[in-house]
Amino acid sequence: MNGLEPFKQLVYDYSGLILDGSIAEERLQQHLQKTRQLLGLSAARLLERLYQSRTELDTLISQLTVNETYFFREPEQIDLFVQQLLPRLLATAGDRPLRILSAGCSSGEEPYSLAMAILDTHGEDVLQRITIDGGDVDLSILNKARRALYSSFSFRGVSNELRDRHFDRTSEGYQLHERIRRTVRLFMLNLMAAEYDCDYGPYDVIFFRNVSIYFDLETRKNIQHRFKRIMQPDATLFLGTTETLGNDFGIFQLREHSGLYYFVKGSQVLPDTPQPLRPAPHTAIRPAPAPQPPTASDSQPAIPAQPDPQLVRQLLHEERYTEAASKLDLLLHAGQHQHPARLMQAWLLLNTGHLEQAAQLLDGILQEHPWCLDSLLARGLCYKWQQDHEGACTRFKTACYAHADSWLAQYFYGDCLRHDPQPGVARAPPASGPAHPVSCPGCCQRLSVATAGTTATGCIVPDRAAPACLETGSFAS
Ligand SMILES: C[S@@+](CC[C@H](N)C(=O)[O-])C[C@H]1O[C@@H](n2cnc3c(N)ncnc32)[C@H](O)[C@@H]1O
């Protein structure tokens, strides 16, 4: 048993989060180290304090959760709910209010999206009849949800029209209108709690999307049993589209509609001939349909075809960020090339100075692809520009181990060691690392690296002044 095990066990018992894998463990390690230094505590004493102090445990949990989310994520499910299930619910519920829960709501984009979709589709009166709850175990992300102030990154799934309809632009970001904000009730919800507060529910619909991936099988089953107890007899449960089939434990019944899967508690049935889902006003950015030949009566502007990832890469390379961003949006929502598209999005954010958002996105990617060279390097740069020397070193070192033949990884790691603020740490680059940076004639402001014995043609970014460029080559994969 290593020194982290008792802390991992505590986190698991409290929140269900599994901290296996280098990234999660590293985060835990870093937080514990900082806290111990700050408070001058031994590991044993810190563990004791975490058991005794809920506040300190909550702070730790906030460091470990992955909060990635955005408005109208997986919009087809929102359409299915708003267009098909909700009208039926409204018809059968009589006068009683309807209740929806977003379990693991993160910074609020999911419950607020539901409120906006209901308002845009059914109007104010229907929205008034519905209570929307958002719960999360992470107290600091809940505070962000309460502020309801978002950067443009949260809008990567929606049109500007929708954003401008429901948000005011301020110097700090986009502020959600009060009429949407007040329809969502936000509270601390730990899905691992033995019993959920009796104030929760009974719910007609629970959205539990993109949360179960952080739990083991046992925890996921337990959570479904607890959900069942706080749901109406005919209630519906949505998991993320890629999670649903893997969470079919026979606790709920699996249903399908228009290719979308969801769970129901009782014997809920949809009308015999379900209506095809139509594009709703809230989800204007959608996968581009197959191109149709124009007809004489065509008065609508043409929907652009799905862009080629190579084209986006080229735009990024040429620093045409605005064009790249709009093409990336299309790519991301077409649901194809997800890994390279998300990676390019991260590079775009890095190069436009949105370091926090880039970091969050890269953490999400690295959860799924822990050895991806581009992600490791980008995350390392992000740490570096955020003045987190240790974080940068760790990422570059991992990149070196996982990709021993990558000169970029070697260069960045060597550069990190050279600039290590701690005395006694090696100042020289690794033996096989780069010899010295030299000017790159083809790429003004940037440097390329002459490595020992090889001619390297790629570009690197020696400091924050120059934009990062995409040279490791896996974007097209
Ligand atoms: C990736 S976000 C998903 C956000 C949103 N549901 C979506 O689909 O975009 C996962 C969220 O689950 C929350 N979470 C993790 N463990 C939890 C627990 N035991 N109880 C409640 N929320 C939890 C995290 O804090 C995080 O905000």
Side-chain angles (χ1 to χ4, degrees):
M1 182 189 272
N2 70 35
L4 279 185
E5 284 308 320
F7 293 95
K8 283 167 64 175
Q9 188 64 43
L10 169 63
V11 169
Y12 174 75
D13 292 342
Y14 179 68
S15 68
L17 293 171
I18 307 252
L19 299 179
D20 284 339
S22 55
I23 295 167
E25 281 190 1
E26 241 174 67
R27 274 206 215 172
L28 176 63
Q29 180 89 279
Q30 279 177 10
H31 179 80
L32 295 179
Q33 233 164 36
K34 272 188 199 152
T35 315
R36 284 183 56 194
Q37 269 167 14
L38 195 74
L39 302 174
L41 293 175
S42 67
R45 182 73 192 100
L46 177 57
L47 185 65
E48 211 176 293
R49 269 177 79 131
L50 286 168
Y51 270 103
Q52 286 162 358
S53 162
R54 186 54 197 280
T55 314
E56 288 187 23
L57 184 55
D58 284 337
T59 309
L60 171 64
I61 296 292
S62 289
Q63 302 296 314
L64 303 173
T65 52
V66 176
N67 305 118
E68 192 189 338
T69 185
Y70 48 92
F71 288 109
F72 290 95
R73 188 176 193 176
E74 301 185 84
E76 297 78 11
Q77 291 185 326
I78 297 179
D79 288 350
L80 171 64
F81 166 62
V82 172
Q83 293 177 26
Q84 305 282 346
L85 303 180
L86 184 57
R88 196 189 59 83
L89 259 176
L90 288 164
T92 54
D95 285 341
R96 86 173 166 81
L98 300 178
R99 303 191 75 172
I100 303 171
L101 172 66
S102 163
C105 67
S106 188
S107 35
E109 284 88 334
E110 183 173 75
Y112 290 139
S113 296
L114 292 168
M116 287 186 271
I118 293 167
L119 180 68
D120 287 347
T121 310
H122 299 289
E124 188 83 48
D125 287 350
V126 169
L127 186 59
Q128 293 291 329
R129 280 191 59 187
I130 300 170
T131 310
I132 303 174
D133 286 347
D136 203 289
V137 73
D138 179 344
L139 290 180
S140 74
I141 205 71
L142 274 176
N143 282 335
K144 185 170 179 229
R146 288 192 186 101
R147 278 199 302 279
L149 183 66
Y150 297 95
S151 75
S152 53
F153 195 50
S154 288
F155 298 95
R156 56 199 192 270
V158 296
S159 64
N160 291 349
E161 291 76 43
L162 176 131
R163 186 195 62 202
D164 297 342
R165 190 160 61 245
H166 294 292
F167 294 80
D168 287 325
R169 195 178 195 145
T170 73
S171 57
E172 291 173 280
Y174 294 92
Q175 179 71 65
L176 181 62
H177 289 168
E178 191 54 33
R179 72 172 176 166
I180 296 290
R181 202 168 145 188
R182 67 167 175 255
T183 59
V184 175
R185 194 178 67 151
L186 296 160
F187 48 78
M188 156 69 163
L189 167 66
N190 184 357
L191 294 165
M192 285 297 282
E195 280 299 325
Y196 297 158
D197 192 317
C198 58
D199 198 27
Y200 303 145
Y203 289 104
D204 297 280
V205 186
I206 294 182
F207 284 82
F208 175 52
R209 302 189 303 166
N210 306 298
V211 184
S212 79
I213 40 176
Y214 304 106
F215 301 138
D216 63 15
L217 189 73
E218 212 44 44
T219 303
R220 286 184 277 140
K221 282 185 186 168
N222 283 337
I223 289 174
Q224 284 201 10
H225 280 298
R226 285 173 206 157
F227 278 159
K228 206 168 180 181
R229 292 202 283 274
I230 57 164
M231 288 166 88
Q232 290 280 5
D234 267 1
T236 306
L237 170 67
F238 282 103
L239 278 89
T241 43
T242 55
E243 297 167 288
T244 308
L245 298 180
N247 280 283
D248 183 11
F249 306 126
I251 300 167
F252 292 94
Q253 294 179 50
L254 189 65
R255 288 285 155 83
E256 186 265 349
H257 182 282
S258 308
L260 296 173
Y261 290 90
Y262 59 98
F263 294 107
V264 295
K265 180 175 167 184
S267 55
Q268 179 200 104
V269 278
L270 275 172
D272 282 345
T273 48
Q275 301 297 307
L277 297 178
R278 63 192 151 76
H282 50 270
T283 50
I285 297 181
R286 303 192 143 263
Q292 299 289 324
T295 64
S297 61
D298 265 347
S299 55
Q300 299 292 320
I303 299 173
Q306 187 195 314
D308 176 358
Q310 280 296 358
L311 169 68
V312 184
R313 186 169 184 272
Q314 184 62 29
L315 288 171
L316 285 174
H317 198 74
E318 291 168 13
E319 296 167 33
R320 291 156 64 186
Y321 297 129
T322 314
E323 288 163 81
S326 65
K327 300 232 175 313
L328 260 179
D329 271 348
L330 287 170
L331 254 190
L332 284 163
H333 290 280
Q336 290 173 6
H337 311 290
Q338 284 300 294
H339 178 53
R342 290 171 78 210
L343 205 41
M344 287 192 281
Q345 179 97 16
W347 278 98
L348 175 72
L349 288 164
L350 264 183
N351 283 320
T352 49
H354 297 93
L355 299 186
E356 274 298 320
Q357 293 155 4
Q360 224 179 57
L361 180 56
L362 286 164
D363 284 342
I365 298 174
L366 282 166
Q367 290 270 356
E368 289 165 36
H369 306 276
W371 308 115
C372 168
L373 177 61
D374 290 299
S375 307
L376 286 167
L377 295 182
R379 190 64 182 94
L381 282 172
C382 204
Y383 273 123
K384 183 176 165 182
W385 294 335
Q386 288 174 316
Q387 313 296 326
D388 184 340
H389 181 81
E390 209 181 312
C393 259
T394 310
R395 282 295 175 278
F396 294 141
K397 187 172 163 188
T398 310
C400 277
Y401 282 131
H403 303 270
D405 56 348
S406 163
W407 65 268
L408 264 182
Q410 298 270 345
Y411 174 81
F412 282 129
Y413 185 44
D415 190 50
C416 242
L417 292 180
R418 263 199 303 274
H419 295 100
D420 197 307
Q422 291 172 29
V425 176
R427 302 247 150 214
S432 58
H436 58 278
V438 295
S439 288
C440 165
C443 220
C444 60
Q445 304 302 318
R446 301 183 202 142
L447 299 177
S448 69
V449 173
T451 60
T454 59
T455 311
T457 54
C459 302
I460 51 110
V461 191
D463 56 47
R464 187 67 196 95
C469 95
L470 317 171
E471 287 302 327
T472 59
S474 62
F475 289 105
S477 62

